Amino acid sequence: QAQLVESGGGLVQSGGSLRLSCAASGNAFSHKSMAWYRQAPGNQRETVASIHSGGTTKYADSVKGRFTISRDNAKNTLYLQMSSLKPEDTAVYYCNVGGVFTSGRYIAVPSWGQGTQVTVSS
């Protein structure tokens, strides 16, 4: 399974923007589906956005219109562009690479990076 390194998190004011990156090791990156998750203190990890190997994207209702997931297959890197950030977006963000879609829902593989902290101040 791919080794994953997330980066790009930080402290930002409400309404601000950040771009997260996930560098993945391994082969066949372009053939894999992948996703971003987040976990806030006391909450379960939740799917934020996913992208199929064919390019189809899906977003949680809470981030639609504000976040954009994308990938650069030449760089083996997954991105999450976050705009109009809200305090409720505060969480540790994780990427996941190589999962599958079942009934339109991304199912993660049990392989995670260290995550990157995003903190949005009001």
Side-chain angles (χ1 to χ4, degrees):
Q1 291 175 342
Q3 289 191 326
L4 307 171
V5 179
E6 300 96 338
S7 62
L11 173 64
V12 64
Q13 289 188 333
S14 182
S17 299
L18 284 172
R19 188 176 81 155
L20 306 184
S21 298
C22 169
S25 66
N27 299 320
F29 183 86
S30 63
H31 299 299
K32 295 179 179 177
S33 297
M34 47 200 73
W36 284 96
Y37 288 74
R38 67 185 180 187
Q39 187 168 19
N43 291 357
Q44 289 188 333
R45 193 170 295 187
E46 62 175 355
T47 312
V48 174
S50 57
I51 183 166
H52 191 272
S53 57
T56 302
T57 58
K58 188 173 182 180
Y59 298 91
D61 288 343
S62 59
V63 306
K64 276 181 184 175
R66 300 189 298 122
F67 290 11
T68 302
I69 188 172
S70 63
R71 58 197 293 166
D72 186 332
N73 292 332
K75 295 182 178 179
N76 275 27
T77 302
L78 177 69
Y79 300 102
L80 185 68
Q81 178 68 47
M82 306 186 295
S83 302
S84 302
L85 283 162
K86 304 176 181 180
E88 51 263 44
D89 295 318
T90 295
V92 178
Y93 284 71
Y94 301 88
C95 61
N96 189 269
V97 173
V100 297
F101 278 87
T102 300
S103 300
R105 179 176 171 231
Y106 181 86
I107 307 300
V109 293
S111 177
W112 302 92
Q114 83 288 348
T116 186
Q117 175 71 48
V118 172
T119 303
V120 185
S121 63
S122 57

